Amino acid sequence: MMSIDHDILVWFSKSFGLFYLIALSIGVLVYAYWPSNKKSFDQAAQAILVDDDKPYRG
Amino acid sequence: MFGFHYRLERKAIGLVLAIIGVASIGGIVEIAPLFTIHQTVEDAPDMRVYTPLELAGRNIYIREGCYACHSQMIRTLRDEVERYGPYSLAVESKYDHPMLWGSKRTGPDIARLGGKYSDDWHVAHLNNPRDVVPESVMPAYRFLSRAELRTDDLSNHLKAQRRVGVPYSDDMIANAAADAYGQAAPDSPQAEGVAKRYGKATNIRAFDGKPKDLTEMDALVAYLQILGRLTDAAYKPMASAEK
Amino acid sequence: MVAQLTKNERQIALVILLVMAAVGLAMAAGGRNDPFGVHGALVMVVAILGMFGVISGYYAPEPPEDRLDSYYDAPSKFGIIAAMIWAVIGMFVGDWVAWLLAYPDWTFDAAWASFGRLRPVHTSGVIFGFGGNALIATSFYVMQRTTRARMPDQLSPWFVLLGYNLFCVIAATGYLMGVTQSKEYAEPEWYADIWLVIVWVTYFVLYMRTLARRKEPHIYVSNWYYLAFILVVAMLHIVNNLAVPIAWGSAKSYSLFAGVQDAMTEWWYGHNAVAFFLTSGFLGMLYYYMPKRAQRPIYSYRMSIISFWGITFFYMWAGSHHLHYTALPQWVQSLGMTFSVMLLIPSWVSAGNALMTLNGAWHRVRDDAVLRFMMVAAVFYGLSTFEGSFMAIRPVNSLSHYTDWTVGHVHAGALGWVAMITFGAIYASVPWLWKRQAMYSAKLVEAHFWLALAGTVIYVFAMWNSGIIQGLMWRTYNESGTLAYSFTDSLIAMHPYYVARAIGGLLFLLGAVVGCYNIWMTIRTAPSAAPETAADRPVLGGAVLQPGE
């Protein structure tokens, strides 16, 4: 009984990890290449170069 | 305006949760099965716990950072087994809180050091390693012979060890200080109790050669002499392979 | 400093210090016969001195309302100075222990001066003292700029920085007294660990509060890396340090884990400390300071996101490569090896992204030693991540593990990557923070760069040689089928490399000392940058002229 617990855990670790890896990779790639995200990425990359060394106060 | 800020905060919290999720699952998947590993590993019924003196010696080993240069983990490689002895088994460190497997061999592995050299050799070596190994780069630990061993808190040590899972009995806890003294003073009345509580095979000797004083040298040498000797389990698979 | 706090914050500071003084007193009383009591007294003295400081400034006028028109940079200034002080302490002790391995009798027969007690002073001093202070200081700077929001209050950044440095002091003095858990890179004992959790939670809350006030809807990628650093280090720290103290009033505790579980937990911690302390946080630094200094946006923002999730995901599985061929189950070892090799992808994506950012700015790299520090850091990052993946392969590891090769690898990362990017970021931000036109001396920055590079190369080559020789000698058989060399034979072969390593380390230390002098002189003497807005513009290498000027 007790050794079944260990086997189940090991089986879960070995199988689940692969699916998790694939799912996460797809998710990240989709997010990074989602067309509507491009604008905000470009903006963010440029924004740090702006020479306005003051916090925004709106 | 409320909606805008709400979205912003949600985004930041979402990022935090995603980081925690992505980062923690790997660790859980990898480590969780190890907590059931004792179900698959052969047990060692002859395994005994450290005596209070050996535990005190182990704490000196930790205090002086010996683990930074000496490993206690012989890998399953031919040259290591031939150089140091049978490879280390998981069960051998099951009472080691924390483990001292080490990560670097500036000096040699000492997982099977116990019984390899005499007490005198260890004392001389710790006092000045270069007296016995001229090429050694180990620091000299002369101050260990000068330092009296602190025993008043040994019961607390054993109690804390029991709390994390080491099977110390009430009797062992109550007599921790006396047992530490007795183990290094073979002719004293306290010596008998050590053998009674920890087994006849326990080393009961004046480790530093001076039965009257209980020094840190006694404790450390007692610990070094028990390394790899808490169980015979590691020698069994080799013996059966030879048959 | 007290003048920058509001009345309300001064009161809270007093309460915090009062509680600390009381806790310190209780620790000192409870641990009369123990190093624990020494640390209690230390906490008490520090808290009382702090109270004097706050009280003496208590009736100073409150900071003007227009403070909200600028970023709060005083804590960053403190953090950078603290980082440089710890750099010199940590590297000095590191070089000292390096000499001890060549000449072991230089210990004055004192317990505190032996290798085993000094080594953690070195590792904690450079990782937590130097690296940690630099990370906190730059993260404060970067999070405010990238969110265009000032930190929400003046007290919590000081609590984080001063509290963190108190942790570092307790850790370092503890090692000298023999207080250690023996868990590598997690040596501080239970009470220091608890204190760090309090500091760290404050740090996290401060970061989140600033993010919540941001003007930009998108969170700039540097903040992702800094956040991962804060969050995952908290996770690792708490789990790996679970322990039972033997008594109130004693510094000693016993780890909750034993044997193989403890080994796995420790190296899950140890490897991810490399990942999230020494990589993630410093990548956050790189993604801000390098584009800023090169005056070019990051080459591919998408790649920085992809590699972020790659690093956050893959590293967590890789820790078991520290335990190849040990009593750890083989499937865990294989898993660790596989993920370690896959780690190369996000690592090289990051390194490549950094180097591609410099395309079109190579003339600046040539003329500006500050940017060159960052460029070399990216190169060493690529090199040492490749080496790391390589060493995680089981047969390679059978040779490299337990040898100086590992030490060489760690220092390729620590000196070549972490320290170089930090020096680059510090040299960039000192003129910005203190509103100077440039560093006091561009020549001294140049000198520091070459000292650091030479020191790193000497160090790493010495350790590669000694490590591989050591590994080969241990496994060489002679014709009769027995081991050819005793352990002592390998020890004799190491001596010249140990001397070379100590010399390399000395050069690196000298570079850091030069850096301290240069920073000090910049703060003291260099002329102020005239217009306020110019302060945020990277000022290129002092007197060095640009091509075409």
Side-chain angles (χ1 to χ4, degrees), chain A residues 2-3 6 9-10 13 16 20 24, chain B residues 21-22 25 29 33 36 39-40:
Chain A
M2 283 303 274
S3 69
H6 179 72
L9 276 175
V10 171
S13 296
F16 171 77
Y20 180 55
L24 196 87
Chain B
V22 169
I25 288 173
V29 167
T36 55
Q39 300 162 358
T40 63

Side-chain angles (χ1 to χ4, degrees), chain C residues 153-440:
Chain C
D153 69 316
Q154 283 80 228
L155 182 61
S156 45
W158 287 112
F159 179 78
V160 171
L161 266 169
L162 295 172
Y164 182 75
N165 279 283
L166 178 63
F167 164 80
C168 292
V169 170
I170 287 176
T173 52
Y175 306 148
L176 296 177
M177 294 187 287
V179 178
T180 170
Q181 293 193 102
S182 84
K183 292 188 155 220
E184 284 185 80
Y185 316 109
E187 290 93 346
E189 269 291 357
W190 61 277
Y191 53 100
D193 291 335
I194 292 173
W195 173 241
L196 185 62
V197 171
I198 296 170
V199 169
W200 217 247
V201 169
T202 314
Y203 185 20
F204 173 67
V205 170
L206 173 62
Y207 214 107
M208 291 304 284
R209 282 164 73 209
T210 311
L211 282 187
R213 296 156 61 96
R214 74 186 185 278
K215 161 74 173 65
E216 311 279 346
H218 180 81
I219 304 174
Y220 184 68
V221 73
S222 280
N223 295 303
W224 301 29
Y225 284 92
Y226 279 123
L227 262 182
F229 148 66
I230 297 170
L231 285 168
V232 183
V233 165
M235 236 161 70
L236 300 166
H237 174 79
I238 291 171
V239 174
N240 188 42
N241 285 307
L242 291 173
V244 174
I246 67 161
W248 165 255
S250 171
K252 179 74 188 168
S253 69
Y254 287 107
S255 168
L256 207 55
F257 310 113
V260 65
Q261 284 98 355
D262 187 43
M264 191 57 232
T265 312
E266 158 61 21
W267 289 110
W268 168 78
Y269 166 90
H271 194 70
N272 288 301
V274 172
F276 291 92
F277 208 103
L278 296 176
T279 304
S280 189
F282 290 93
L283 281 172
M285 206 186 264
L286 175 108
Y287 280 125
Y288 181 81
Y289 288 94
M290 188 189 253
K292 198 84 179 145
R293 188 76 184 184
Q295 291 179 306
R296 299 178 56 82
I298 189 78
Y299 168 71
S300 165
Y301 197 81
R302 278 175 177 150
M303 269 163 65
S304 71
I305 289 173
I306 293 168
S307 55
F308 172 79
W309 291 111
I311 286 169
T312 307
F313 179 70
F314 287 153
Y315 256 110
M316 273 293 161
W317 303 68
S320 52
H321 68 224
H322 288 257
L323 300 166
H324 282 331
Y325 301 98
T326 66
L328 190 74
Q330 177 145 2
W331 70 269
V332 184
Q333 299 181 26
S334 304
L335 195 68
M337 173 174 104
T338 313
F339 275 89
S340 304
V341 173
M342 288 201 287
L343 244 180
L344 190 59
I345 303 166
S347 302
W348 272 27
V349 168
S350 303
N353 203 1
L355 292 175
M356 296 291 267
T357 302
L358 295 174
N359 255 354
W362 289 105
H363 60 284
R364 293 211 187 98
V365 177
R366 185 192 62 203
D367 297 331
D368 177 11
V370 178
L371 196 55
R372 218 178 312 128
F373 263 116
M374 300 182 194
M375 188 275 287
V376 169
V379 171
F380 268 102
Y381 178 63
L383 284 177
S384 50
T385 49
F386 173 76
E387 190 187 21
S389 296
F390 183 62
M391 290 168 80
I393 299 170
R394 271 165 54 94
V396 181
N397 195 267
S398 77
L399 179 83
S400 74
H401 193 52
Y402 293 133
T403 73
D404 286 324
W405 189 356
T406 310
V407 181
H409 165 63
V410 169
H411 283 81
L415 303 176
W417 153 239
V418 173
M420 295 274 191
I421 187 68
T422 305
F423 287 135
I426 287 179
Y427 281 131
S429 33
V430 163
W432 301 342
L433 281 169
W434 274 273
K435 315 276 185 236
R436 302 285 186 260
Q437 277 171 355
M439 286 299 296
Y440 164 73

Side-chain angles (χ1 to χ4, degrees), chain C residues 434-450:
Chain C
W434 274 273
K435 315 276 185 236
R436 302 285 186 260
Q437 277 171 355
M439 286 299 296
Y440 164 73
S441 162
K443 284 221 177 74
L444 287 179
V445 179
E446 194 75 33
H448 181 184
F449 173 79
W450 289 109

Side-chain angles (χ1 to χ4, degrees), chain C residues 114-180:
Chain C
S114 67
F115 181 92
R117 290 200 192 183
L118 287 175
R119 177 183 176 268
V121 179
H122 162 59
T123 53
S124 292
V126 291
I127 298 173
F128 300 121
F130 170 53
N133 271 302
L135 283 172
I136 296 173
T138 57
S139 74
F140 286 168
Y141 186 92
V142 171
M143 76 176 180
Q144 293 185 92
R145 264 72 182 180
T146 52
T147 58
R148 298 196 59 205
R150 183 185 157 97
M151 281 192 274
D153 69 316
Q154 283 80 228
L155 182 61
S156 45
W158 287 112
F159 179 78
V160 171
L161 266 169
L162 295 172
Y164 182 75
N165 279 283
L166 178 63
F167 164 80
C168 292
V169 170
I170 287 176
T173 52
Y175 306 148
L176 296 177
M177 294 187 287
V179 178
T180 170

